[in-house]
């Protein structure tokens, strides 16, 4: 695999983020929307077929599903939903070492048990290992040698400090390509669950398309920009969550979107789950400030079945800190809930 970025001296090396744009400013960015919908429903997600077949993993970089997705309708827009839950979670949100099981409800079903409905983030904080089949890949970002062994950073490379991978802040200049701060895995993952705990600070005055952070799933090693992959964008200026694909230097195809509340001018701590199976994807997000509000966003798009995982800070006026990242196959208990949320 080769790196993709243009150095300050102008020499070019290959990089999954693609070649440096020329003459394009942030004001030129456009979005190609596939039946865009910004859902406002607070009801439970319209789920797909529930499956109880667990995903099995034989290595850290490959997860094989026994119930592959079958949808191939690229660009289908799916409603995201925000669910309010009554589950009680007493896990230490900072360490994220363990998940907590909620109390049994009036129906006699443990809201965090294998027979319960609802998002996984009802019951887990900080990407605990219990969400994953053994062995997952866990990155605490507390050792430079481990980061160098498993991840690659170029351009304005993120830094390791304080047990976190730190992106930005970057100046809000019109030459937006100078504001990149990407990093991507050295291993390619197939059907797999990704969990990220991160902290970001939305600006007091948000400018659309400027303050954002992206997590990309299954990016082909030879992709230009984020083409051919599903990117989950945290649009902090818009307080919006979006699944989309970058199809040109400053053009995007949107697959699904949902509102996502954030507190401006202060640091927000987020837990993010992204699960990809075949052509189907689902994300769960929770803001620690609003633990009972979990956003579930499903989407469908036909991409490469295997690829790199990319973390990309772009035009962030405040720093973004990634504290923990876990990759692998979902556990036997987690899989049915994820499968039920797929489109």
């Amino acid at each position: 695999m080769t790196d993709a970025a243009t150095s300050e001296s102008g020499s070019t090396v290959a990089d999954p983020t693609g070649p440096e744009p020329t003459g394009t400013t942030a004001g030129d960015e456009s979005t190609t929307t596939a039946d865009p919908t910004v859902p406002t429903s607070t009801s439970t997600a319209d789920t797909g077929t529930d499956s109880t077949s667990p995903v099995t993993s034989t290595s850290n970089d490959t997860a094989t599903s026994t119930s592959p997705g079958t949808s191939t309708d690229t660009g289908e827009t799916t409603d995201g939903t925000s669910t309010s839950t009554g589950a009680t979670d007493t896990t230490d949100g900072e360490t994220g070492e363990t998940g907590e099981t909620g109390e049994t409800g009036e129906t006699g079903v443990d809201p965090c048990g294998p027979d319960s409905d609802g998002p996984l983030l009802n019951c887990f904080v900080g990407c605990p290992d219990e969400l994953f089949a053994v062995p997952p890949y866990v990155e605490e970002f507390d050792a430079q040698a481990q980061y160098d062994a498993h991840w690659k950073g170029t351009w304005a490379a993120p830094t390791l400090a304080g047990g976190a991978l730190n992106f930005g802040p970057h100046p809000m200049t019109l030459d937006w390509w100078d504001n990149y701060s990407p990093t991507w895995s050295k291993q390619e993952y197939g059907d797999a669950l990704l969990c990220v705990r991160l902290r970001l600070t939305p600006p007091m005055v948000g400018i659309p398309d400027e303050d954002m952070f992206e997590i990309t799933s299954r990016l082909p090693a030879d992709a230009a920009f984020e083409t051919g992959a599903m990117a989950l964008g945290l649009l902090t200026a818009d307080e919006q969550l979006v699944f989309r694909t970058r199809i040109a230097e400053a053009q995007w195809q949107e697959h699904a979107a949902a509102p996502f509340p954030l507190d401006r001018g202060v640091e927000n701590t987020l837990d993010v789950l992204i699960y990809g199976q075949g052509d189907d994807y689902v994300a769960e997000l929770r803001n620690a400030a609003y633990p009972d509000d979990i956003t579930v966003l499903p989407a469908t798009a036909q991409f490469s079945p295997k690829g790199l995982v990319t973390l990309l800070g772009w035009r962030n006026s405040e720093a973004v800190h990634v504290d923990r990242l876990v990759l692998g196959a979902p556990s036997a208990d987690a899989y049915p809930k994820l499968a039920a949320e797929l489109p």
Side-chain angles (χ1 to χ4, degrees):
M1 185 188 77
T2 55
D3 305 350
T6 304
S7 67
E8 293 181 1
S9 63
S11 60
T12 302
V13 292
D15 181 297
T17 59
E20 177 177 349
T22 56
T24 304
T25 67
D28 295 329
E29 180 174 333
S30 62
T31 302
T32 300
T33 304
D35 298 327
T37 302
V38 179
T40 57
S41 171
T42 57
S43 62
T44 305
D46 181 11
T47 60
T49 303
D50 193 358
S51 172
T52 57
S53 302
V55 177
T56 58
S57 176
T58 56
S59 66
N60 287 353
D61 66 334
T62 303
T64 303
S65 169
T66 58
S67 300
T70 57
S71 176
T72 58
D73 183 12
T74 302
E76 177 182 336
T77 300
T78 309
D79 290 348
T81 60
S82 179
T83 63
S84 180
T85 67
T88 301
D89 193 333
T90 59
T91 305
D92 184 348
E94 296 302 318
T95 60
E97 292 299 323
T98 60
E100 180 70 20
T101 301
E103 298 177 359
T104 301
E106 295 180 0
T107 62
V109 177
D110 182 350
C112 300
D115 297 327
S116 64
D117 295 326
L120 282 169
L121 290 182
N122 278 346
C123 312
F124 295 98
V125 171
C127 304
D129 292 349
E130 292 95 309
L131 285 171
F132 295 84
V134 178
Y137 171 73
V138 181
E139 174 63 88
E140 301 281 6
F141 297 112
D142 57 358
Q144 189 68 48
Q146 184 187 28
Y147 173 79
D148 291 342
H150 296 284
W151 294 85
K152 183 74 174 179
T154 60
W155 215 290
T159 59
L160 285 182
L165 185 64
N166 306 288
F167 297 82
H170 298 305
M172 295 292 101
T173 57
L174 291 179
D175 51 346
W176 57 264
W177 48 88
D178 289 337
N179 296 313
Y180 265 154
S181 186
T183 188
W184 61 93
S185 64
K186 295 179 180 179
Q187 293 180 318
E188 296 185 10
Y189 293 84
D191 291 359
L193 175 63
L194 167 69
C195 184
V196 179
R197 161 150 283 208
L198 60 86
R199 293 171 285 126
L200 53 79
T201 303
M204 290 300 296
V205 179
I207 302 175
D209 297 323
E210 292 208 350
D211 275 272
M212 59 168 290
F213 186 77
E214 281 190 354
I215 304 169
T216 300
S217 178
R218 298 192 296 195
L219 173 71
D222 58 350
F225 315 113
E226 288 80 56
T227 55
M230 185 69 87
L232 182 71
L234 301 172
L235 310 186
T236 55
D238 301 319
E239 294 191 15
Q240 189 180 45
L241 177 68
V242 59
F243 263 134
R244 63 184 188 175
T245 303
R246 187 178 178 189
I247 57 178
E249 288 182 357
Q251 187 176 4
W252 303 84
Q253 179 184 19
E254 187 174 295
H255 305 290
F260 188 68
L262 295 165
D263 292 327
R264 295 193 178 279
V266 297
E267 188 173 80
N268 291 244
T269 298
L270 310 180
D271 283 322
V272 184
L273 293 178
I274 304 174
Y275 179 57
Q277 182 189 105
D279 298 330
D280 297 330
Y281 296 78
V282 66
E284 290 187 14
L285 277 88
R286 175 182 53 209
N287 188 336
Y290 309 99
D292 293 337
D293 295 327
I294 299 170
T295 299
V296 177
L297 184 66
T300 298
Q302 189 174 15
F303 297 124
S304 170
K306 193 174 183 180
L308 306 171
V309 172
T310 302
L311 303 175
L312 181 66
W314 183 51
R315 293 184 66 82
N316 297 301
S317 59
E318 300 288 343
V320 178
H321 312 281
V322 178
D323 296 318
R324 180 174 169 87
L325 183 146
V326 188
L327 268 166
S331 67
D333 289 340
Y335 175 74
K337 292 179 179 289
L338 293 168
E341 293 175 340
L342 292 171

